[in-house]
Amino acid sequence: MSLSKLLSDYGMLIVLILLCVFYSITTLDEQNPRGVDAAEQVTQMILDGYNTQDRIVVVSKSNPEHVLFANTLLEELESSGYQNVEHIEGEPPEVRSAFEQFDSLGVRADAVAIPQDYSTIIGNIKNRIPVMSQAQIVAPRSYRWPTFLLANNLRNVANQIVVIAIIAVGMTMVIITAGIDLSVGSLIAFSAVVAAWIIREMGGADATLGVMVLASVIAILMCGLVGFASGITITKFKVPPFIATLAVMLVASGFAYIISKGESIYEIPDSYVWLGRGADLFSIPNAVVLMVIIYVLAHILMTRTTLGRYIYAVGGNPEAARLSGIRVNLVLLFVYTMCGIMAGLGGIVQASQLKSGAPTYGLLYELYVIAAVVVGGTSLQGGEGKISGTLIGAFIIAVIQNGMNLTGVESYTQKVVLGFVILLAVLLDMLKKRSWGGKKKTVAAG
Amino acid sequence: MSKNDESPLLSVERIEKSFPGVKALKGVNLDLHRGEVHAIVGENGAGKSTLIKILAGVHQADAGTMHIDGKAVHFNTPIEAQHAGIAVIYQEFNLIPALTVRENILLGHETSKWGFFSKRDEHKIIEDLFSKMNVRMDPEAICAELSVAQQQLVEIAKSLSVGARIIVMDEPSATLTNQEVDTLFEIVRDLKEQGIGIIYISHRLDEIFEIAQRVTVLRDGEYIGTHPVERVDREGLIEMMVGRSIENEFPKHHHPIGDVRLKIDDFAHTSDEEGVSLEVRSGEVLGLTGLVGAGRTELARLIFGADRPARGTISVDGKVLNIKSPLEAIRNGICLLTEDRKAQGLVLGLSSRENFALANLNNWSKGGFVSAKEERSRFASYIDSLKIKISHQDQLAQNLSGGNQQKVLIARWLESNSDIIIFDEPTRGIDVGAKYEIYLLINKLAEAGKAIIMISSELPEVLGMSDRILVMHEGRISGEITDVLNATQEDIMTMAVGQLEAS
């Protein structure tokens, strides 16, 4: 395998990996173990340094992370046989008064177990109180690790891109047929609003699971129907896809505002966030699992089935495809319907993430979706492109955005950078094709 | 040519050129005199295009020398070649369709002052050019509305307007009608009179004998030789090109002809057009010829369901069918090998294997899933039997030579196992060796009882390969030849121009 082939097959994957490496290095920082991890580390330190008769004071604030730390630690210490353990929960003034109380009672402490981010201030307080000054601060050790690579942040990256990535599957198919679908952004809003509206009308915050599923399915199918209508306009009436879907974009957006009367619909049960915020499988977000399933299915469709082959053929040369007995119009109808369905699904994920439906959702998303497809190496001229490439493209965009957030680049600058990244990706693709095209011409020449 | 003592207009010596993985030219020589038409022949892949591109400054030679008027030259860019007086007219024209003839000819060297040009001055220049070429054309005509032949004239005028003294023509006659070729030849002769040297590249050998003084043969990038045309004959040229002797250019087999397979009756594009009727029998090769624009391809597309006829019936094996799309035609055992491989046959960005499979996926898919293994093994058998030259099955269709592209398409239709096969210009732009193989294949198909319609503009081919010939003129059948063995090209031509209804 030559270098150029390697680059053309895996070029964007390499770019993605380099980006990840870059942000891993630039976000390398002091990280503090939190919650359960912190508690376990501190337990170990106490086991190593103190016997069960020593007096241990656990200090924490009342935020969930600290409470988790304190509770876990208390449990662990108790089960290890420590008998003189006390817990102080609260802000510095409260801790100080607790310490002063110890002082007045003349109770000595041997260790103060505390989360890392609370240790400095409490350490200062402790040193001013004689009876406590002997006590050692036992806090989890901080370590160096890229913020970018923290599990939490990676989940963030995935959650941010999941809607765009799902819709990009449909868009990839459309673009491979040399078409475009500008309506997907509006369909996100349309789908979210329709689903939220149905739920509100059928029980609101007390709606049953059945209602929620039904509402979501109806919203997705309606988006599929809209895609189908775009397809009919394009195949039967020969309206260019750009114009047809531009019109649909306005219509769908308009309907989203009409249905919602221009306001967000919040009357949705709490359990509706299962898809968008839940993480049932090895703490991978459910939406990400859904996205992966869709990508796998789409990949199989495009590489292993007759329909997939026809999609490429129709994009590469519709006349040759027709003369080979392919029902070109049916293929086009399929891809636009599929793109609508994917946009509808994206809208449901969005509604679930935000636990509401609003007509403002999905604004400009069509452009991000197209960008993901193009960065992923699909040619706007049709006939070529890969589903896997689109996933990589979507993640390149997500990683760049996330990385800029982490490194404190402001959002206006982010737009500029993202624009240039898209331009660069397309230019690279063009250059690759040109040098490659020059070579193939000469080989065939003579 | 007068062998005067001055140096030749152009002389090229021992030119070599390599591309990654292939040596395209291995020491090629060429010299061209003033007022000479010098033909270059060779199969596809012989190195003609590479040689042209070196002359045009598109590629740079690895070794060898190039002289113009005895002065050594070296071109790094096409502009340098243009300044040195070399113009190349490629098969695909470099005209801007929306601009006029005048604007196209003067594009890039307008006679403008401060950005404004004088239409009168420009008209004067154009008229001078046209009178030099002895042609008449409206300088204000939009190029998109011109015929191919007229566009070619615009290209020639364009090259003269920049002062070209050496004009390279790459397959100029490929898409011209016979009359247009005659016009082209008159212009070429006029240019020759004016001392312009012309390098003429063509697959049509009879043209070379008609227009050229000398011919240079290339084969596999090697220089085979240069000969005055009086000293060689057609067979000799072919032998030099393919490197072995071909006893018979048209290896026609005759076998028994069976029942009528396809019958069309009163087929017409529009309701006010005269209808066309014809029938083809099992085992028969029906040659369908006529001038370009006579309606042969249109008829083929009607039969294949690519276009819808306004009226008329079609029946296969006596059963009347209602064919509304190519899909239905294919299901009824009809296939069409289109005239334009790139525009209508191949999906250039897909692999050869995928192109082969396009019409046949259902043969090896279950529940919509394609069996890649089965597909590869089927294609492999065609690569073998059709001798498709291909580096691997996934090689992109666009990277194949014309002959191999055609073979991939033939494999596609053989696999579809159609009984009625329409070949539209099956050998256009294909080299001699591949042509011969396609003729053998047509024989084999006829022998197997297929009914074949072979549309062709090349009269020797029509006469050499058909069992029966139909000639079309202005959308209708103007004549039929049943006694092919004793027919001549003149017989066909009289029918093709609509003068005679003969048999």
Side-chain angles (χ1 to χ4, degrees):
Chain A
M1 188 182 281
S2 65
L3 185 68
S4 67
K5 173 130 173 62
L6 194 77
L7 275 180
S8 77
D9 283 3
Y10 300 104
M12 279 301 153
L13 185 59
I14 294 168
V15 169
L16 179 59
I17 292 169
L18 288 179
L19 274 173
C20 291
V21 170
F22 174 76
Y23 281 124
S24 298
I25 293 168
T26 50
T27 63
L28 197 59
D29 202 1
E30 294 285 322
Q31 307 292 347
N32 299 315
R34 291 166 202 276
V36 175
D37 292 345
E40 274 165 7
Q41 203 187 353
V42 170
T43 308
Q44 195 56 48
M45 289 160 81
I46 291 173
L47 284 176
D48 291 347
Y50 301 87
N51 60 47
T52 49
Q53 300 307 314
D54 286 340
R55 196 174 166 77
I56 315 287
V57 181
V58 176
V59 178
S60 74
K61 292 193 195 177
S62 53
N63 66 46
E65 208 176 86
H66 278 208
V67 170
L68 187 63
F69 166 81
N71 288 345
T72 317
L73 184 59
L74 291 171
E75 251 171 61
E76 297 264 340
L77 291 180
E78 194 184 345
S79 67
S80 303
Y82 285 82
Q83 288 143 15
N84 299 318
V85 181
E86 300 225 17
H87 182 204
I88 304 171
E89 184 180 301
E91 296 300 310
E94 299 165 63
V95 177
R96 175 194 292 267
S97 62
F99 283 177
E100 281 164 354
Q101 212 176 343
F102 284 157
D103 197 45
S104 62
L105 293 173
V107 187
R108 297 178 70 86
D110 296 297
V112 175
I114 192 163
Q116 174 70 35
D117 57 355
Y118 207 21
S119 61
T120 317
I121 182 161
I122 297 302
N124 287 336
I125 293 171
K126 173 191 72 101
N127 289 340
R128 283 187 227 125
I129 295 167
V131 77
M132 295 298 294
S133 60
Q134 296 293 312
Q136 297 291 318
I137 288 281
V138 183
R141 278 187 211 96
S142 63
Y143 58 100
R144 289 185 73 75
W145 184 255
T147 311
F148 175 76
L149 286 184
L150 289 176
N152 248 336
N153 185 59
L154 291 179
R155 263 197 294 275
N156 266 344
V157 172
N159 273 329
Q160 270 172 15
I161 203 64
V162 73
V163 172
I164 285 169
I166 287 174
I167 301 172
V169 169
M171 187 67 83
T172 306
M173 296 180 190
V174 167
I175 291 182
I176 287 176
T177 66
I180 195 91
D181 189 345
L182 298 178
S183 67
V184 293
S186 298
L187 286 180
I188 292 174
F190 182 72
S191 167
V193 164
V194 166
W197 183 84
I198 294 174
I199 292 171
R200 186 177 68 185
E201 297 300 306
M202 294 178 70
D206 304 318
T208 61
L209 178 66
V211 166
M212 289 190 280
V213 171
L214 183 74
S216 306
V217 169
I218 289 177
I220 292 169
L221 288 183
M222 281 180 76
C223 289
L225 209 62
V226 172
F228 183 78
S230 302
I232 292 284
T233 322
I234 290 159
T235 54
K236 277 273 174 251
F237 302 108
K238 309 284 174 216
V239 179
F242 189 95
I243 304 296
T245 58
L246 182 69
V248 170
M249 168 177 131
L250 293 172
V251 172
S253 174
F255 270 114
Y257 276 95
I258 292 169
I259 294 169
S260 65
K261 300 199 172 69
E263 288 164 1
S264 296
I265 300 176
Y266 294 110
E267 296 85 345
I268 292 177
D270 288 339
S271 55
Y272 196 67
V273 302
W274 175 81
L275 179 63
R277 297 188 202 161
D280 289 346
L281 191 72
F282 308 120
S283 56
I284 300 169
N286 292 337
V288 173
V289 174
L290 175 71
M291 176 191 81
V292 170
I293 293 172
I294 289 172
Y295 269 86
V296 169
L297 291 180
H299 178 76
I300 292 173
L301 173 79
M302 293 303 280
T303 55
R304 299 250 186 282
T305 68
T306 52
L307 181 59
R309 195 72 74 75
Y310 293 161
I311 290 172
Y312 282 104
V314 165
N317 187 342
E319 180 68 356
R322 192 172 76 97
L323 294 180
S324 297
I326 294 170
R327 280 173 288 202
V328 173
N329 284 352
L330 271 186
V331 172
L332 290 176
L333 276 180
F334 171 82
V335 297
Y336 284 99
T337 307
M338 196 43 114
C339 195
I341 288 175
M342 288 300 150
L345 189 56
I348 296 301
V349 172
Q350 183 90 308
S352 172
Q353 281 179 340
L354 303 173
K355 200 168 93 70
S356 61
T360 49
Y361 288 176
L363 188 69
L364 291 186
Y365 268 41
E366 61 276 357
L367 299 185
Y368 286 104
V369 169
I370 294 169
V373 175
V374 171
V375 170
T378 298
S379 159
L380 281 172
Q381 268 124 47
E384 57 184 306
K386 282 189 189 140
I387 293 289
S388 54
T390 297
L391 186 61
I392 293 168
F395 269 88
I396 286 179
I397 290 176
V399 166
I400 290 175
Q401 271 184 325
N402 177 263
M404 288 193 291
N405 279 335
L406 293 181
T407 47
V409 178
E410 65 165 339
S411 68
Y412 305 135
T413 319
Q414 287 189 14
K415 274 193 176 175
V416 176
V417 172
L418 211 56
F420 277 109
V421 166
I422 292 165
L423 205 57
L424 202 70
V426 178
L427 280 179
L428 277 178
D429 198 48
M430 292 286 203
L431 281 178
K432 188 181 81 193
K433 261 180 210 140
R434 193 177 305 163
S435 62
W436 187 58
K439 204 163 73 192
K440 97 201 151 207
K441 248 189 199 156
T442 51
V443 169
Chain B
M1 276 296 88
S2 55
K3 279 266 178 200
N4 43 23
D5 43 3
E6 56 185 307
S7 46
L9 180 55
L10 169 75
S11 96
V12 169
E13 274 160 11
R14 290 190 296 281
I15 286 278
E16 289 180 24
K17 176 73 186 172
S18 296
F19 296 110
V22 55
K23 187 148 192 185
L25 293 176
K26 307 165 186 167
V28 168
N29 304 315
L30 177 72
D31 62 315
L32 177 72
H33 298 288
R34 289 170 192 79
E36 182 190 28
V37 177
H38 192 132
I40 301 178
V41 297
E43 293 192 274
N44 290 341
K48 294 173 306 208
S49 303
T50 310
L51 180 59
I52 293 177
K53 283 185 180 150
I54 287 173
L55 290 178
V58 176
H59 294 323
Q60 285 71 46
D62 299 335
T65 57
M66 211 164 20
H67 291 85
I68 289 181
D69 290 330
K71 267 187 297 202
V73 288
H74 179 81
F75 307 135
N76 285 315
T77 64
I79 308 228
E80 291 176 28
Q82 202 183 59
H83 286 319
I86 296 182
V88 179
I89 296 166
Y90 293 101
Q91 272 171 280
E92 272 114 41
F93 301 141
N94 286 315
L95 298 177
I96 297 172
L99 294 186
T100 65
V101 169
R102 169 179 54 86
E103 287 163 336
N104 262 297
I105 291 175
L106 296 175
L107 196 65
H109 49 279
E110 289 88 354
T111 58
S112 60
K113 270 185 193 143
W114 309 107
F116 293 93
F117 60 82
S118 149
K119 218 168 176 175
R120 210 174 46 192
D121 290 356
E122 292 201 351
H123 270 279
K124 180 86 176 55
I125 297 171
I126 302 287
E127 265 158 40
D128 286 350
L129 277 174
F130 282 171
S131 70
K132 209 164 151 189
M133 289 165 62
N134 213 357
V135 296
R136 272 193 198 171
M137 204 189 294
D138 175 13
E140 296 306 312
I142 303 292
C143 270
E145 292 162 6
L146 301 180
S147 71
V148 175
Q150 287 172 315
Q151 292 187 20
Q152 193 171 52
L153 295 183
V154 176
E155 279 277 1
I156 295 173
K158 201 171 142 186
S159 61
L160 290 177
S161 77
V162 294
R165 293 180 299 142
I166 299 164
I167 298 183
V168 183
M169 296 185 176
D170 187 7
E171 295 269 0
S173 61
T175 49
L176 300 188
T177 66
N178 290 359
Q179 277 163 315
E180 288 168 342
V181 171
D182 288 342
T183 317
L184 173 69
F185 281 3
E186 273 167 37
I187 291 165
V188 168
R189 289 195 186 97
D190 282 341
L191 296 176
K192 201 176 89 173
E193 293 298 308
Q194 292 160 30
I196 288 171
I198 289 163
I199 295 174
Y200 191 94
I201 289 160
S202 179
H203 279 302
R204 297 186 180 173
L205 300 183
D206 26 349
E207 287 179 355
I208 286 159
F209 290 100
E210 192 180 336
I211 193 79
Q213 281 76 59
R214 287 189 300 161
V215 53
T216 290
V217 183
L218 302 182
R219 184 174 73 226
D220 294 334
E222 272 176 77
Y223 173 75
I224 303 299
T226 301
H227 306 273
V229 290
E230 310 87 51
R231 307 250 186 89
V232 286
D233 58 5
R234 195 183 168 85
E235 284 68 38
L237 263 189
I238 292 175
E239 212 174 306
M240 282 189 268
M241 283 161 65
V242 300
R244 64 194 147 84
S245 66
I246 287 184
E247 286 120 47
N248 188 350
E249 207 183 334
F250 303 107
K252 176 69 184 160
H253 282 198
H254 291 275
H255 21 254
I257 286 170
D259 297 332
V260 174
R261 298 301 301 261
L262 171 76
K263 184 170 161 52
I264 63 170
D265 215 12
D266 197 29
F267 243 43
H269 243 281
T270 54
S271 49
D272 51 346
E273 231 171 52
E274 201 178 325
V276 172
S277 303
L278 62 79
E279 52 183 48
V280 201
R281 291 166 176 274
S282 168
E284 183 182 40
V285 179
L286 174 67
L288 189 61
T289 187
L291 300 175
V292 171
R296 302 162 304 175
T297 298
E298 289 76 2
L299 178 63
R301 286 175 62 90
L302 288 184
I303 297 173
F304 189 56
D307 300 321
R308 297 291 304 280
R311 61 163 201 274
T313 57
I314 177 166
S315 54
V316 172
D317 295 329
K319 210 173 82 194
V320 176
L321 302 173
N322 182 17
I323 291 175
K324 292 199 219 75
S325 68
L327 180 62
E328 289 172 39
I330 293 167
R331 282 180 179 161
N332 283 293
I334 303 173
C335 70
L336 170 67
L337 189 72
T338 51
E339 167 190 25
D340 191 336
R341 284 190 292 275
K342 289 181 182 167
Q344 296 167 347
L346 295 165
V347 182
L348 291 169
L350 289 186
S351 70
S352 310
R353 171 177 52 83
E354 287 166 319
N355 268 289
F356 153 75
L358 211 51
N360 307 307
L361 277 179
N362 290 331
N363 291 5
W364 51 80
S365 55
K366 234 187 226 162
F369 282 85
V370 180
S371 160
K373 206 176 132 203
E374 177 83 7
E375 182 170 290
R376 283 181 184 279
S377 80
R378 297 239 189 160
F379 188 41
S381 74
Y382 284 101
I383 292 176
D384 252 18
S385 63
L386 296 180
K387 299 193 192 93
I388 304 176
K389 278 180 210 142
I390 197 172
S391 56
H392 51 91
Q393 292 202 353
D394 294 329
Q395 192 173 8
L396 292 186
Q398 63 194 3
N399 294 351
L400 298 182
S401 73
N404 286 310
Q405 287 180 339
Q406 189 74 309
K407 284 180 181 175
V408 168
L409 290 174
I410 290 176
R412 177 197 287 173
W413 294 119
L414 291 183
E415 173 63 28
S416 81
N417 203 17
S418 303
D419 287 331
I420 298 152
I421 306 175
I422 307 170
F423 288 103
D424 195 356
E425 302 283 2
T427 63
R428 170 172 292 171
I430 288 179
D431 59 59
V432 181
K435 262 185 191 176
Y436 190 75
E437 284 169 25
I438 287 174
Y439 295 143
L440 289 180
L441 186 80
I442 291 177
N443 278 337
K444 215 155 72 180
L445 292 171
E447 210 164 358
K450 314 267 185 197
I452 294 166
I453 299 175
M454 184 185 76
I455 299 173
S456 175
S457 299
E458 284 193 53
L459 299 184
E461 174 175 287
V462 175
L463 287 166
M465 288 306 298
S466 312
D467 294 302
R468 187 161 59 92
I469 297 169
L470 286 177
V471 184
M472 288 189 76
H473 173 69
E474 291 181 354
R476 64 195 170 79
I477 307 275
S478 63
E480 178 174 13
I481 295 173
T482 47
D483 182 12
V484 176
L485 284 178
N486 295 314
T488 64
Q489 298 196 19
E490 286 70 35
D491 294 341
I492 295 179
M493 281 317 296
T494 34
M495 293 176 189
V497 295
Q499 286 175 350
L500 197 72
E501 310 273 320
S503 84

